């Protein structure tokens, strides 16, 4: 799964005990199970560098899934004051590249994020823009690599590899997902580079049930082995009940400054 | 007690030999435990504010020294070469000791402003088509930071920087890193026109290799040289082999001492075995010459040994004391490399004196002694006679002789001393044609110099460097550095902020609001800016790369820059230079101090010793004159050859005095001995006749041994060898001509040291 997006947007759902499944079926079932129509999450990010020095940031993320199962999301930094209002807007598309726009208050306009930036880090975190994109299941081949146990719970080991068309666009040769069988929760993700070197490890924690089927993980800890850096995510609050208006995900909403209220 | 050793040894030869053999075997067992150290730390003063600032900077920004790999190919930006480069980077990334890799593949591109927000990596995957590869080249060369740092300005060379996971003081780790890097790049040797590594691991690995090579060449060569020279000069196999036996034992003792005390083999201490061989042989020669003369005079072997002990035993103790003192002074240096050298060399020479005093009388008593007298050697006899004739001739006008030799030496020394250039730098240890130097030069020509230091900028008020005024100051500081004329490149956070600002189409070079700078910083991962800024932005480091190696040039250049920076530094900021090379550079004052202390201590000790020996301070002072005069030749040589004063050459003066004093002691002692029985002129004549051979033999052996160091891989060692040889050769001239002249004009009534026993030294 795609880390932050996955952490926030998908997963963690209750475990329907399914008969023997293929990896694709598992991932698809996970997607369906944990999908929420509307979700607003406030989270703290703690970034730790090689020397142990920390930087903290707070952001608010709004997600809306349409009837077409396509998502729109808006990430807005609220703390520290220097970067308050910096925002990233994402629209998922079927069959084509997703759109991303960046808003910097000091520039006062939206800039479309070029697709070439997918493997750059997102705002100093250890997530890349690629990680921030919702997963299009068609862009990956999933392979069941075995089973393991985490805290006594049996988990699938699934390797997700970009399809040939996506291979050059992805920073990863594969991602290894450790998904709990029962609730289809993703506990751990390992990211491998093109030389099959381990680039990052993400460990999720504090599962929280949202409704009958959907769950969320309230913490994530990404260790960036390549650059010796860590990002810790803590969910401060989550709202899934109010319906987000489509206009929330529009240029106008941002440029008029309402997005920060 | 030490002066009783030879007497005891002469009367208990087998016990003496067994004792030395047992101790030597025990020492040999410990030799493998000696550590090797090539850390740059030894060249720096270990304490002080400058050192603390450097350690603080290193803790905040990491060490500026890294391993780097240089890759050059005329078709570098082609699909095939970029694919090979990508493969190389991947191979390096998985090496256990490699923490991170900075290359074209990790560089962020900063394309020109457009409606798209686009700061992608310069290359994610190697392009498949030439047109794409050439597009990458175009972007790399137009990049605001890469040209001159990660890529050459013609696009035909690139550098891969490696940050390593290792304790820089851990020799083994550092060498393993070098080997691991070498193993990786070996596989790419035929895929690029040129590929090589440089940086700390390579320098350390080469340093160790050079030391091993020097030891493998110089120790056997010194032994062979001493043997051949002594064979020629003394005409005796025994006289030539004995110094090698005592030197072997004392070298093993010294290495065991180093193992026990944790003194490592360094680029200075590695020459201690050669010094023991060369310097240590002089005492053996004096002892053996005395023994041979006694045998030639018809003494039985036991009597000859006893005569030898009586005549020169005490003199050997005193000469050993002065030689040891010549090195001991450096033990108190603040520079670890000097103090380690002082400790190991002084121990080695003390050990050699003890071994010699015990072993030589014992061996002379038990070794076969078929020939009572060395075979006559026409050349040797003629040379000896010629020298003696010259000495006699000059003694007719002693004052003129003194003036004729002393005045030119004083004048040359005065001029030379004023022209000596202190210099302490790491690369200066290596020969110009060494791969370390040639690779460094190539890197300088194609990208940037390998020499680095940092400009540390600190915000001292309420503002941090996200403040546009302070960011502008940092950028201005970079401009000041880059326009100095000797700096290749500077890299700092302002470069990144300026590049992002340009990508966003911002006006001016840098943004003018704190908010904009903060937003731009969001586009930089901490790993990108870690070497340049603390996470709170209160401190910044500008990494400066250059090729100015000499401290003589760097020190004034930095002083000029400091003045210029002071004029633009805001009141709530501070600018200062720091870095390993600067600490090494600053240690030059310690080198100069080391020289003064070394010369001061040996002069004082030698004067006091000789004053004590002859019961007259005046005699002690006068005896030092012929030993200080050779410094004139030493400084003159330094001046005309451009040899700088550094950690090795700063010891040459004191070592030379320590060695020159040896002959003076022998001459004065022998004169005092004969003066008890003869008139002054006759006593001088007898003394010279008896001592010319050992004095000339030891001098030639010493000078030749030191000249052998010219073949060292290390420039300061080679220079030390030349200077010592010049000084020692000059010392024999002053000892043979000035010393007897001085005795005649100043000390004709010198008294023997032991009252009532004019016939003996003891």
């Amino acid at each position: 799964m795609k880390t932050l997006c996955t952490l926030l947007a998908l997963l963690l759902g209750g475990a329907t005990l399914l008969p023997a499944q293929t990896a694709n079926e598992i991932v698809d079932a996970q997607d369906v199970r944990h999908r929420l129509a509307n979700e607003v999450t406030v989270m703290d990010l703690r970034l730790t560098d090689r020397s142990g020095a920390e930087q903290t940031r707070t952001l608010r993320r709004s997600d809306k899934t349409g009837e077409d199962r396509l998502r729109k999301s808006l990430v807005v930094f609220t703390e520290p004051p220097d970067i308050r209002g910096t925002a990233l807007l994402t629209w998922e598309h079927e069959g084509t590249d997703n759109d991303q726009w960046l808003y910097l208050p000091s520039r006062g306009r939206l800039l479309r994020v070029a697709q070439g930036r997918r493997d750059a880090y997102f705002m100093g975190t250890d997530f890349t823009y690629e990680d921030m994109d919702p997963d299009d299941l068609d862009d990956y081949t999933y392979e069941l690599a075995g089973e393991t146990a985490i805290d006594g719970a049996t988990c699938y080991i699934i390797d997700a590899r970009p399809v040939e068309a996506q291979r050059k666009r992805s920073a990863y040769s594969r991602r290894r997902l450790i998904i709990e069988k029962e609730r289809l929760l993703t506990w751990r993700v390992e990211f491998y580079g093109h030389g099959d070197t381990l680039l990052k490890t993400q460990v999720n924690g504090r599962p929280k049930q949202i409704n009958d089927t959907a769950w969320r993980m309230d913490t994530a800890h990404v260790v960036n082995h390549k650059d010796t850096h860590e990002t810790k995510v803590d969910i401060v609050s989550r709202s899934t009940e109010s319906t987000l208006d489509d206009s929330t995900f529009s240029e106008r909403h941002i440029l008029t400054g309402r997005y920060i209220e | 007690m030490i002066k009783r050793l030879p007497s005891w040894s002469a009367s208990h030869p087998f016990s003496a030999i067994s004792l030395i053999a047992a101790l030597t075997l025990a020492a040999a067992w410990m030799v493998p435990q000696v550590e090797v150290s090539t850390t740059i730390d030894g060249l720096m003063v270990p304490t002080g504010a400058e050192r603390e600032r450097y350690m603080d900077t290193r803790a905040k920004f990491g060490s500026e020294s890294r391993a780097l790999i240089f890759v050059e190919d005329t078709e570098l930006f082609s699909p095939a070469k970029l694919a090979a480069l990508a493969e190389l980077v991947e191979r390096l990334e998985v090496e256990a000791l490699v923490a991170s890799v900075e290359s074209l593949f990790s560089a962020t591109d900063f394309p020109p402003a457009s409606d798209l927000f686009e700061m992608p990596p310069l290359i994610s995957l190697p392009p498949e088509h030439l047109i794409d590869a050439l597009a990458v080249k175009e972007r790399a060369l137009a990049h605001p930071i890469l040209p001159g740092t990660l890529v050459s300005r013609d696009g035909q060379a690139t550098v891969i920087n490696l940050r390593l996971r290792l304790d820089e003081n851990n020799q083994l780790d550092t060498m393993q890193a070098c080997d691991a890097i070498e193993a990786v790049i070996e596989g790419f040797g035929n895929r690029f026109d040129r590929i090589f590594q440089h940086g700390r691991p390579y320098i350390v690995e080469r340093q160790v290799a050079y030391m091993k090579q020097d030891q493998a060449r110089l120790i056997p060569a010194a032994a062979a040289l001493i043997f051949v020279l002594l064979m020629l000069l003394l005409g005796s196999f025994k006289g030539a082999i004995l110094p090698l036996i005592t030197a072997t034992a004392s070298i093993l003792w010294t290495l065991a001492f180093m193992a026990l005390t944790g003194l490592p083999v360094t680029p200075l201490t590695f020459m201690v075995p050669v010094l023991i061989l060369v310097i240590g042989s002089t005492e053996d020669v004096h002892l053996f010459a005395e023994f041979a003369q006694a045998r030639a005079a018809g003494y039985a072997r036991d009597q000859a040994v006893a005569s030898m002990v009586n005549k020169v035993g005490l003199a050997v103790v005193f000469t050993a004391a002065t030689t040891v003192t010549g090195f001991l002074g450096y033990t108190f240096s603040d520079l670890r490399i000097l103090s380690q050298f002082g400790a190991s060399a002084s121990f080695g020479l003390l050990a050699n004196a003890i071994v010699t005093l015990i072993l030589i009388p014992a061996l002379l008593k038990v070794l076969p002694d078929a020939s009572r007298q060395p075979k006559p050697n026409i050349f040797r006899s003629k040379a000896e006679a010629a020298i003696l004739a010259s000495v006699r001739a000059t003694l007719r006008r002693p004052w003129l002789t003194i003036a004729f030799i002393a005045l030119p030496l004083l004048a040359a020394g005065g001029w030379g001393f004023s022209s000596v250039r202190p210099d302490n730098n790491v690369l200066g240890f290596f020969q110009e044609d060494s791969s370390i130097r040639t690779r460094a030069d190539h890197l300088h020509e194609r990208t940037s110099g390998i020499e680095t230091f940092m400009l540390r900028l600190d915000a001292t008020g309420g503002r941090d460097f996200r403040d546009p005024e302070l960011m502008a100051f940092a950028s201005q500081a970079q401009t000041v550095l880059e326009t100095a004329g000797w700096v290749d490149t500077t890299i700092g956070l302002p470069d990144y902020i300026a590049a992002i600002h340009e990508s966003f189409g911002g006006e001016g070079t840098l943004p003018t609001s704190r908010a904009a700078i903060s937003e731009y910083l969001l586009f930089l991962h901490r790993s990108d800016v870690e070497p340049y800024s603390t996470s709170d932005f209160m401190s910044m480091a500008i990494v400066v790369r250059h090729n100015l190696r000499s401290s003589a040039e760097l020190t004034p250049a930095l002083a000029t820059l400091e003045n210029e920076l002071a004029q633009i530094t805001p009141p709530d900021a501070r600018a200062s230079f720091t870095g390993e090379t600067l600490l090494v550079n600053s240690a030059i004052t310690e080198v100069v101090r080391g020289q003064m202390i070394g010369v001061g201590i040996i002069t004082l000790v030698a004067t006091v010793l000789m004053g004590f020996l002859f019961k007259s301070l005046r005699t002690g002072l006068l005896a030092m004159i012929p030993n200080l005069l050779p410094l004139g030749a030493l400084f003159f040589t330094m001046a005309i050859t451009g040899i700088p004063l550094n950690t090795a050459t700063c010891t040459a003066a004191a070592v030379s005095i320590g060695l020159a004093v040896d002959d003076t002691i022998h001459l004065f002692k022998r004169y005092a001995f004969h003066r008890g029985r003869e008139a002054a002129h006759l006593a001088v004549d007898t003394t010279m006749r008896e001592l010319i051979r050992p004095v000339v033999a030891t001098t030639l052996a010493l000078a030749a041994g030191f000249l052998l160091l010219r073949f060292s891989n290390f420039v300061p060692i080679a220079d030390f060898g030349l200077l010592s040889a010049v000084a020692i050769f000059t010392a024999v001239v002053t000892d043979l001509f000035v010393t007897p002249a001085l005795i005649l004009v100043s000390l004709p009534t010198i008294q023997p040291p032991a009252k009532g026993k004019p016939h003996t030294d003891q």
Side-chain angles (χ1 to χ4, degrees), chain B residues 90-337:
Chain B
E90 279 173 16
R91 289 279 307 279
L92 291 166
E93 278 174 342
V94 298
E95 282 298 322
L97 285 168
V98 175
S100 65
V101 180
E102 185 193 6
S103 71
L104 288 174
F105 291 89
S106 64
T108 302
D109 193 13
F110 299 103
S114 71
D115 287 338
L116 275 180
F117 168 61
E118 191 175 23
M119 280 188 271
L122 186 70
I123 327 174
S124 293
L125 287 172
E128 287 178 359
H129 306 290
L130 182 61
I131 193 167
D132 297 326
L134 292 175
V136 172
K137 178 181 182 179
E138 196 179 328
R139 292 205 305 277
L141 295 182
H143 196 277
I145 298 166
L146 300 184
T149 56
L150 275 192
V151 66
S152 66
R153 295 184 197 283
D154 62 3
Q156 293 182 1
T158 185
V159 170
I160 300 168
N161 286 318
L162 307 179
R163 187 193 279 255
L164 302 170
R165 277 190 197 96
L166 52 82
D167 171 5
E168 288 179 347
N169 291 322
N170 185 321
Q171 186 77 32
L172 204 61
D173 267 12
T174 312
M175 289 180 64
Q176 276 176 354
C178 177
D179 292 344
I181 293 166
E182 203 61 38
V184 171
I185 65 176
E186 255 177 22
F188 292 83
N190 57 357
R191 297 174 73 176
F192 301 106
D193 292 345
R194 189 170 186 188
I195 180 169
F196 63 76
Q197 67 164 313
H198 213 304
R200 181 189 284 269
Y202 182 69
I203 292 174
V204 166
E205 191 276 337
R206 284 289 81 203
Q207 218 166 312
V208 171
Y210 289 151
M211 282 198 286
K212 284 182 180 168
Q213 197 182 50
D214 266 8
Q215 282 189 322
R217 287 186 316 177
L218 296 182
I219 294 177
L225 185 73
I226 297 292
F227 180 78
V228 170
L229 267 175
L230 295 184
M231 273 299 286
L232 285 173
L233 294 164
L234 299 176
S236 160
F237 174 80
K238 202 193 291 180
I241 199 73
L242 285 176
L244 302 187
I245 295 172
T246 56
T248 304
S250 38
I251 286 170
L252 291 171
W253 287 25
T254 307
L255 292 173
F257 170 75
M258 290 171 73
L260 279 172
T261 54
L263 287 172
V265 174
T266 69
L268 283 192
T269 59
F270 90 93
M271 70 168 169
V272 169
V274 177
L275 294 179
I276 292 173
L277 259 167
V278 175
I279 300 172
S281 67
T282 58
E283 288 146 1
D284 306 68
V285 169
H286 277 290
L287 285 166
F288 181 78
E290 196 55 47
F291 171 79
Q293 276 188 5
R295 291 288 278 155
Y299 283 45
R301 187 154 66 172
D302 287 0
Q303 289 173 316
V305 170
S307 169
M308 173 194 80
V309 170
N310 280 340
K311 275 192 171 177
V312 290
L314 189 61
V316 166
V317 172
F318 275 84
T319 56
T322 53
T323 308
V324 168
T325 308
F327 290 98
L328 197 62
Y330 295 99
T331 308
F332 307 105
S333 171
D334 280 345
L335 286 186
R336 208 165 58 209
I337 194 167

Side-chain angles (χ1 to χ4, degrees), chain A residues 49-50 53 82 102 104-107 109 111-112 114 116-117 119 121 123-126 168 197 226-227 229, chain B residues 94 99 115-121 124-125 128 163 504 514 518-520 522-523 525-527 530 535:
Chain A
D49 69 13
R50 194 185 308 269
D82 281 351
L102 181 72
L104 298 180
S106 68
R107 310 301 313 162
R109 66 192 176 106
L111 290 166
R112 184 188 291 272
R117 194 168 164 76
D119 53 356
Y121 290 116
M123 302 291 177
T125 68
D126 291 295
K168 284 191 178 175
T197 51
K226 186 181 166 209
D227 290 318
H229 193 262
Chain B
V94 298
D115 287 338
L116 275 180
F117 168 61
E118 191 175 23
M119 280 188 271
S124 293
L125 287 172
E128 287 178 359
R163 187 193 279 255
F504 278 117
R514 181 185 173 90
S518 299
E519 288 166 8
Y520 291 173
L522 287 172
F523 302 118
H525 191 258
R526 180 74 192 127
S527 59
E530 220 164 12
S535 60

Side-chain angles (χ1 to χ4, degrees), chain B residues 229 232-234 376-392 688-697 700 729 732 736-737:
Chain B
L229 267 175
L232 285 173
L233 294 164
L234 299 176
N377 179 314
I378 294 168
F379 167 75
R380 202 167 52 240
S381 303
K382 281 190 172 175
E384 207 173 313
I387 295 169
L388 187 60
S390 304
V391 172
R392 283 171 175 159
M688 299 313 291
R689 196 176 64 244
E690 288 179 1
L691 290 184
I692 276 181
R693 182 179 296 191
V695 165
V696 171
L700 287 181
F729 194 80
V732 79
L736 290 179
F737 295 95

